[in-house]
Amino acid sequence: MNLSAKTEYACLAMLELAQHHASGEPVQLRLIAERHGIPAQFLVQILQQLKRAGLVNSTRGASGGYQLAQSPQEVTLADLLEVVEGSSDCTSSAANASPLAPVLLEVCAELTAIQRQRLEAITLADLLDRAAVEADPMWYI
C-alpha cells in the first residue's frame, strides 16, 4: 500500500488534532503545517475536505483553528483514507479479454476486504499510543 503525499499529510494533520483533542482548543493550521512540514496551501485544501466529510470542525477568528469532530478513539484509518483517497474497488482492463481475469479480480477483492478490515481496526488513538511507545522506548537490563 502506497500513501500519496495528500494521504500522508491528512493522517499527520489528524494525528496532530488527536493529540490536542483533550484540551478542547482548536489547533491553528499554521502550527500543523510548520510542525509537520506540510505546505499550508495544500493543508487548507485537505482540512476543508475533511471538514466536508465531517471528520473535523473549524473555528474562525484569531483563536480559531481545527478540531476533531469525534474522539480519537472513534476515528479509524479506514474513515480517513476513504475521504482522502475514495474507494479502492478492484478493476481490470483485461476483464473482458480473458476468461481468467475474474479470478484476479476475486483475489483483488479479497485483499481489499482484508485491508479495509485492518484499517477499520486502527484508530487515531491507537496510532498516538504507538507513537508514544516509539518515542520513549523502554530499556531492560
Side-chain angles (χ1 to χ4, degrees):
M1 174 179 187
N2 293 326
L3 294 180
S4 67
K6 181 179 181 180
T7 301
E8 185 176 346
Y9 293 159
C11 290
L12 292 172
M14 290 291 283
L15 286 170
E16 185 68 32
L17 296 178
Q19 282 184 317
H20 291 88
H21 182 73
S23 75
E25 297 294 321
V27 181
Q28 292 182 345
L29 181 130
R30 179 186 48 78
L31 176 96
I32 300 169
E34 288 174 1
R35 191 163 210 204
H36 300 284
I38 303 171
Q41 296 288 31
F42 196 28
L43 184 57
V44 168
Q45 295 171 8
I46 292 167
L47 288 170
Q48 287 174 346
Q49 184 178 9
L50 295 171
K51 182 180 175 184
R52 282 190 301 274
L55 293 180
V56 301
N57 295 321
S58 66
T59 306
R60 292 181 178 223
S63 61
Y66 292 86
Q67 295 173 288
L68 290 180
Q70 303 169 35
S71 75
Q73 293 82 5
E74 296 175 291
V75 181
T76 68
L77 275 179
D79 299 331
L80 182 55
L81 294 179
E82 188 172 306
V83 170
V84 178
E85 295 184 355
S87 68
S88 57
D89 294 335
C90 294
T91 58
S92 170
S93 58
N96 296 329
S98 171
L100 300 176
V103 74
L104 293 175
L105 286 174
E106 183 180 317
V107 169
C108 182
E110 289 171 11
L111 291 172
T112 299
I114 291 167
Q115 179 181 10
R116 171 81 184 175
Q117 187 177 36
R118 182 67 181 123
L119 291 171
E120 286 174 344
I122 302 170
T123 67
L124 294 178
D126 296 332
L127 292 176
L128 288 178
D129 289 344
R130 282 187 186 191
V133 168
E134 290 177 14
D136 189 28
M138 265 193 170
W139 300 95
Y140 295 96
I141 298 176

